[in-house]
Amino acid sequence: MEISSKENTQLFSNTIPLVDRSSFKSESSASKEKESCCGGIKVFLGALSFVYFAKALSGSYLKSTITQVERRFDIPSSLVGVIDGSFEIGNLLIIILVSYFGAKLHRPRIIGAGCLIMSAGTFLIAMPQFFMGRYEYERFPSTINSTVSISPCLQDKSQTLLSALEKPQAKINAGCEKGGSSMWIYVLLGNLLRGIGETPIQPLGITYIDDYTIEENAALYIGCLQTVAIIGPIFGFLLGSLCAKLYVDIGFVDLDSITITHKDVQWVGAWWLGYLIAGVISILAGIPFWFLPKHLPKPEGRKDSSTSSEQSEFITEDNKDHQKSYQQQVKIAEMEDFLPSLKNLFGNPVYILYLCASIMQFNSLIGMVTYKPKYIEQQYGQTSSKTNFVIGLINIPAVAFGIFSGGLIMKKFRINVLGAAKLSLGSSFFGYLLLLSLFAMGCENSDVAGLTVSYYGAKQMTDNEQALYSECNSGCACSKNDWDPICGENGVTYISACLAGCQASNGSGEHTVFFNCSCVGTLESPSQSSSAVVGPCQKGNECPKMFLYFLVISVITSYTLSVGGTPGYILLLRCIKPHLKSFALGIYTLAIRVLAGIPAPVYFGMAIDTSCLKWGSKRCGGRGACKLYDSSALRYVYLGLTLVLGTVSIFFSVAVLWVLRKRSSPQDETLSANGERGTRGTKSRKANFVNSDHLIQTTYWPEKETRL
């Protein structure tokens, strides 16, 4: 008995440490799983942020080169809009397949493959520089380093004119033979390919983060992701500013022979160089995704509470074969579930109204951002380099700070779906209200003889090319298609030295001075001959001050509109059923691409073209790029179209808020002083949201992408 008792005691004492050790291992395993989950999602977040940086850099760099591409290929703004919209067309081609079926595949590797395709498209955009001839800018022969002295006003219309223009015309014909006028198609195709590669990044990346992080951190992570992505446009526009200062044919021609500077209206920067840099960055950004796992451990707070661990373990251990066949049946069912899922989404009023609001707002913002560099250059007389520098260093950081502020506000105040809708609506309302003040911050038209003023100082506004001729230049053999502006000492810009009636010149390049210009005179003595210098006259004295006011209001507006970005995204994620989240994001992105990204740059460009006063002529024939805009008309078209679209989006946002209020219980609006009653009200409000088919649903299960 004693021996037996001792053995039992010893056995019991040995059993306790075993139980403790097993418990310790279980706790250690759970701790490691938690650390693995946190570490994995943070690695993915960092890699996805770099991809967002890469795609945002190449996209913003394209925006910064709009005027350079327009001038280099001699095309109108509407055609530039088609090139810009080709990126969205690329998204349109495969976004349904990627967003719906991509969630069932290896999402990180699909994103990595997209990065490679995106880099290939970026390289293709730069290819025309290596195929087409060198850039030829218009310059009267006397302004080029030459020993031949030719009068700008060619009164001898026979031998002198032919000898002066014979060689340049030969170069023009050679350029046409190389097909330089149609090389913009490479830019369009490259941007199309870049759009295809970018497709999986947003729908698959965002849902991957939302799947494997706790709900409280989802808003902050998305806010951080979008904030880091904003660094891409900063570097994109700064890169655009740097490349705009470099001559387009740098490395191909002797720069000492170039007689224009980056401040000249005919200057074209090295637009292609930035695309080569952006392509390399896109390749590097895609590398980490080839080494990331398909799935991560689920956070403890987001595991399915309806299914016990014992039941899951039973299915896993005892019915593996049955489970595999069942999963195959589920996958087949998913393929057949496409139309019912689509019907479910379009039957959700919150989703549809928010989608309409987003479409109108993105029409407004995409059009505004696409042509903002052009607007600043034409309205305030700034160079491309300075314009890109200002946008990248001042405007874009305000957007980043606004997006981050929106995510921080959502997390700190634990704002629900209704609060997110209010915050998004408020930011849009005050943002567009500030934008309204920009109508008063424009510059007057420059005095251009024959276009905005007559040759003797009378104000006029005409695009009639016959108005370019006057008595003072009637004895000269001038072409109305030339665009080599000079500034008379009377403060009036003339289309060319010939149309200014100049008889002689001195110097070369940008230091050329024209003398005895019969059309350059004062209002008191219009017949008095005078001098002129190369380049257009500066805008009015008030224009620099107006440009400063514009920058201040633009920064505040950008911040205000951006605050509503993250709340709006959270509203989108939380107003749909969890298993439809990836599909809903894909449909949302598809609608934005088709109904905003593609048409907005085109019709904004067409509207801007209506304000053109002087069109250029292509070297191979036909109408080229616009040389001069009516500043007032440009301001009303650009800002007016932006505000009209923004106002319509606000009405849809009000409708979203109204539906959300209608869905929530009326008793929830009244808060009692009794804490217990207030707690019950909060629980009731949450229950109402969960039970609604069309509002936030907090039920979460491990394979939520699969509808069982």
Side-chain angles (χ1 to χ4, degrees):
M1 289 291 295
E2 283 185 355
I3 296 174
S4 176
S5 176
K6 286 181 181 180
E7 287 178 353
N8 290 336
T9 304
Q10 187 175 4
L11 179 63
F12 179 74
S13 62
N14 290 337
T15 305
I16 295 177
L18 288 173
V19 173
D20 291 342
R21 203 172 291 120
S22 174
S23 175
F24 176 77
K25 287 181 180 179
S26 177
E27 292 177 1
S28 175
S29 175
S31 177
K32 288 181 179 179
E33 181 181 344
K34 186 176 180 181
E35 289 178 3
S36 173
C37 170
C38 294
I41 195 63
K42 288 180 180 178
V43 169
F44 182 85
L45 179 65
L48 190 64
S49 296
F50 188 37
V51 171
Y52 264 67
F53 168 83
K55 78 182 185 70
L57 183 143
S58 58
S60 59
Y61 183 76
L62 177 68
K63 306 289 185 186
S64 73
T65 58
I66 285 293
T67 55
Q68 307 288 315
V69 169
E70 183 178 322
R71 204 172 295 158
R72 181 66 181 96
F73 297 99
D74 214 5
I75 53 179
S77 297
S78 56
L79 190 52
V80 171
V82 174
I83 293 175
D84 187 78
S86 64
F87 175 85
E88 318 300 345
I89 297 175
N91 272 263
L92 171 63
L93 295 176
I94 62 169
I95 193 167
I96 289 291
L97 296 175
V98 168
S99 59
Y100 189 75
F101 299 112
K104 287 80 179 174
L105 303 176
H106 199 301
R107 286 180 282 184
R109 289 184 182 175
I110 294 177
I111 294 174
C115 291
L116 294 179
I117 298 173
M118 190 167 59
S119 64
T122 309
F123 287 134
L124 183 60
I125 295 176
M127 288 301 102
Q129 174 63 23
F130 303 97
F131 299 150
M132 60 196 305
R134 306 281 74 86
Y135 175 59
E136 297 286 344
Y137 49 88
E138 296 179 16
R139 266 291 182 263
F140 184 75
S142 64
T143 66
I144 303 176
N145 296 329
S146 175
T147 57
V148 180
S149 179
I150 303 173
S151 171
C153 180
L154 297 174
Q155 295 178 343
D156 183 2
K157 302 178 184 178
S158 57
Q159 184 64 32
T160 307
L161 179 62
L162 291 174
S163 62
L165 301 180
E166 183 178 3
K167 188 174 181 181
Q169 188 62 44
K171 290 183 178 180
I172 291 172
N173 293 334
C176 290
E177 290 173 1
K178 286 191 175 183
S181 60
S182 60
M183 292 300 248
W184 57 268
I185 296 176
Y186 284 91
V187 181
L188 186 145
L189 293 177
N191 205 31
L192 181 77
L193 193 60
R194 198 173 65 85
I196 293 174
E198 191 266 351
T199 304
I201 295 173
Q202 183 179 3
L204 300 188
I206 293 292
T207 54
Y208 193 90
I209 288 178
D210 194 63
D211 284 349
Y212 301 113
T213 184
I214 59 177
E215 291 186 4
E216 284 113 9
N217 289 338
L220 182 63
Y221 282 178
I222 293 174
C224 290
L225 179 66
Q226 294 181 351
T227 301
V228 172
I230 291 296
I231 300 176
I234 294 176
F235 280 87
F237 277 101
L238 291 180
L239 181 62
S241 175
L242 175 63
C243 293
K245 283 188 176 181
L246 305 175
Y247 187 62
V248 60
D249 292 324
I250 185 172
F252 298 94
V253 298
D254 182 12
L255 296 181
D256 293 333
S257 64
I258 306 302
T259 59
I260 58 176
T261 66
H262 71 279
K263 296 181 180 180
D264 196 282
V265 292
Q266 299 187 70
W267 176 270
V268 175
W271 60 274
W272 53 274
L273 185 59
Y275 289 110
L276 298 181
I277 298 173
V280 172
I281 294 175
S282 296
I283 292 177
L284 296 177
I287 293 176
F289 289 93
W290 297 98
F291 304 98
L292 290 172
K294 181 179 180 180
H295 298 292
L296 289 175
K298 288 284 182 180
E300 195 66 30
R302 301 194 70 165
K303 291 183 178 179
D304 185 17
S305 57
S306 63
T307 304
S308 66
S309 58
E310 291 181 1
Q311 184 181 4
S312 301
E313 191 178 62
F314 173 78
I315 293 174
T316 303
E317 295 291 336
D318 300 335
N319 296 307
K320 288 183 179 179
D321 295 336
H322 176 73
Q323 182 69 6
K324 287 181 180 179
S325 62
Y326 180 72
Q327 287 178 354
Q328 291 175 354
Q329 294 175 4
V330 167
K331 288 183 178 180
I332 296 174
E334 286 173 356
M335 302 295 182
E336 299 173 350
D337 199 33
F338 181 81
L339 289 179
S341 298
L342 194 64
K343 183 179 178 181
N344 194 310
L345 283 180
F346 283 96
N348 186 334
V350 177
Y351 179 79
I352 288 298
L353 288 172
Y354 181 75
L355 181 63
C356 293
S358 298
I359 288 171
M360 300 310 297
Q361 187 172 37
F362 273 98
N363 268 277
S364 171
L365 298 178
I366 289 173
M368 182 179 68
V369 171
T370 300
Y371 294 100
K372 191 169 189 175
K374 186 182 188 70
Y375 178 76
I376 293 176
E377 290 179 37
Q378 297 295 331
Q379 185 70 213
Y380 301 102
Q382 303 297 321
T383 64
S384 296
S385 178
K386 185 176 180 180
T387 298
N388 292 329
F389 182 81
V390 165
I391 293 176
L393 205 61
I394 299 177
N395 210 259
I396 302 299
V399 175
F401 188 53
I403 292 175
F404 182 76
S405 298
L408 199 61
I409 291 171
M410 289 286 294
K411 179 176 174 62
K412 184 173 182 179
F413 297 99
R414 298 181 181 274
I415 296 176
N416 60 8
V417 176
L418 192 62
K422 291 178 181 178
L423 185 58
S424 179
L425 173 61
S427 70
S428 296
F429 177 77
F430 288 108
Y432 286 109
L433 195 63
L434 286 169
L435 200 64
L436 187 64
S437 63
L438 294 180
F439 279 100
M441 300 174 189
C443 295
E444 296 295 329
N445 284 302
S446 299
D447 291 339
V448 182
L451 294 177
T452 62
V453 295
S454 69
Y455 276 88
Y456 301 109
K459 294 290 183 180
Q460 67 177 31
M461 191 67 61
T462 179
D463 56 357
N464 185 6
E465 295 181 340
Q466 294 302 320
L468 296 174
Y469 299 107
S470 179
E471 293 181 4
C472 60
N473 57 29
S474 59
C476 303
C478 303
S479 172
K480 61 185 178 183
N481 295 326
D482 289 342
W483 178 255
D484 189 8
I486 64 171
C487 179
E489 63 179 27
N490 59 349
V492 177
T493 299
Y494 297 86
I495 300 300
S496 67
C498 182
L499 287 171
C502 300
Q503 304 294 330
S505 63
N506 184 22
S508 62
E510 59 179 317
H511 304 293
T512 302
V513 179
F514 298 95
F515 298 100
N516 299 325
C517 302
S518 58
C519 295
V520 180
T522 60
L523 295 178
E524 292 78 10
S525 54
S527 61
Q528 177 184 353
S529 296
S530 191
S531 62
V533 295
V534 173
C537 299
Q538 296 295 322
K539 291 270 189 176
N541 296 330
E542 294 294 321
C543 203
K545 187 186 297 184
M546 288 297 178
F547 179 55
L548 183 61
Y549 294 156
F550 170 83
L551 288 181
V552 173
I553 297 298
S554 179
V555 167
I556 299 174
T557 302
S558 299
Y559 172 79
T560 306
L561 288 173
S562 301
V563 168
T566 303
Y569 221 97
I570 294 300
L571 171 63
L572 176 65
L573 290 172
R574 297 291 179 256
C575 75
I576 52 182
K577 294 181 179 179
H579 67 277
L580 295 176
K581 189 180 298 181
S582 179
F583 187 44
L585 277 178
I587 294 295
Y588 175 83
T589 308
L590 170 66
I592 297 298
R593 304 295 192 199
V594 175
L595 301 177
I598 295 174
V602 177
Y603 67 74
F604 260 83
M606 294 175 65
I608 288 174
D609 282 342
T610 61
S611 63
C612 183
L613 292 176
K614 176 69 172 69
W615 288 98
S617 298
K618 290 185 177 180
R619 297 180 180 275
C620 303
R623 194 175 75 172
C626 183
K627 303 297 185 181
L628 181 69
Y629 290 89
D630 179 355
S631 295
S632 298
L634 176 63
R635 182 167 67 253
Y636 288 121
V637 166
Y638 175 77
L639 295 178
L641 199 52
T642 301
L643 278 171
V644 168
L645 294 169
T647 303
V648 175
S649 75
I650 289 176
F651 281 115
F652 280 113
S653 297
V654 171
V656 170
L657 188 60
W658 181 78
V659 172
L660 286 173
R661 282 184 175 277
K662 188 178 179 181
R663 294 275 177 175
S664 55
S665 176
Q667 295 90 338
D668 298 337
E669 301 297 328
T670 305
L671 292 178
S672 172
N674 190 319
E676 183 179 354
R677 183 179 176 184
T679 304
R680 286 202 305 268
T682 303
K683 291 180 179 178
S684 174
R685 178 161 56 252
K686 289 182 179 179
N688 287 329
F689 274 104
V690 171
N691 293 333
S692 172
D693 288 335
H694 304 309
L695 294 179
I696 175 173
Q697 301 196 14
T698 55
T699 305
Y700 204 92
W701 56 90
E703 295 294 337
K704 71 174 184 179
E705 253 58 22
T706 304
R707 187 173 185 178
L708 299 178

